[in-house]
Amino acid sequence: GYHADRWKKWLTANNSPMKAYFDTSDQDPFCMYNYLLDITTWNTNSRRGFIKVKITDYAGNTVESEMNSEASTFQQYKRVKILTGFYQDIEKISKISLIFSTKTLIGPKHKLRILQMTLKSLNNPER
C-alpha cells in the first residue's frame, strides 16, 4: 500500500486545493496500475460492448485488465477513451491484445475493427 502520512505535508502545503487519489485493489500488493486506452474504430455500424486488454512483455509475461462495468459505444471514426487497470505492472510492452465482448448469449458475435489505438500508462506517463 501507500504510506499516506508521507504525502500529508506535500498535499496540505500552502492550503492547496489539490486532491490526491491512490488507486488500490483487493489483491496483493494492493496496487492497481492504470492505463488509458484510446481507440478509434472503423466499423460502419455502431457496436456497444466491453473491452478487456491483455499486455505482454518481451519475456512473455502477460497480464489482463479487469473488464469495465460499463459498456462503451463504438462508432465509425469516433474516439473512445477507456480507463483500464492491471494488478501487475509491465514495463516494456511487446504485444497488446484486445478482447471485445457484448456479454450477450443470444445473437451474432460482432467484431470491432480498430483504425487507431493508443495505450498510455497513467502511473508512468513517460512510457
Side-chain angles (χ1 to χ4, degrees):
Y2 296 99
H3 298 280
D5 59 328
R6 294 182 186 171
W7 291 85
K8 185 177 179 181
K9 278 187 178 180
W10 186 75
L11 292 172
T12 58
N14 302 325
N15 294 324
S16 174
M18 189 168 105
K19 294 181 181 178
Y21 298 94
F22 296 99
D23 293 321
T24 60
S25 70
D26 57 354
Q27 295 185 8
D28 283 335
F30 309 108
C31 295
M32 181 64 80
Y33 300 95
N34 293 305
Y35 286 78
L36 182 64
L37 179 64
D38 189 347
I39 296 176
T40 304
T41 56
W42 188 35
N43 290 54
T44 306
N45 299 325
S46 291
R47 300 278 186 252
R48 186 157 173 78
F50 304 87
I51 288 193
K52 185 181 273 196
V53 182
K54 188 189 300 187
I55 54 177
T56 306
D57 67 9
Y58 288 95
N61 301 311
T62 300
V63 293
E64 276 189 27
S65 68
E66 291 300 304
M67 196 170 286
N68 292 349
S69 58
E70 272 188 47
S72 297
T73 301
F74 302 94
Q75 298 173 327
Q76 188 176 32
Y77 306 128
K78 301 285 182 184
R79 289 174 65 186
V80 175
K81 293 183 180 186
I82 301 170
L83 179 65
T84 186
F86 299 89
Y87 292 120
Q88 203 176 0
D89 192 23
I90 296 278
E91 276 193 51
K92 296 185 179 183
I93 298 172
S94 67
K95 182 180 175 181
I96 301 170
S97 303
L98 302 179
I99 301 165
F100 176 68
S101 169
T102 58
K103 285 195 173 180
T104 58
L105 300 174
I106 302 171
K109 291 188 176 188
H110 296 284
K111 290 183 179 180
L112 189 65
R113 295 181 177 158
I114 306 296
L115 183 64
Q116 181 178 326
M117 175 182 70
T118 305
L119 185 67
K120 182 178 180 179
S121 171
L122 298 178
N123 295 80
N124 301 292
E126 70 280 358
R127 291 187 194 165

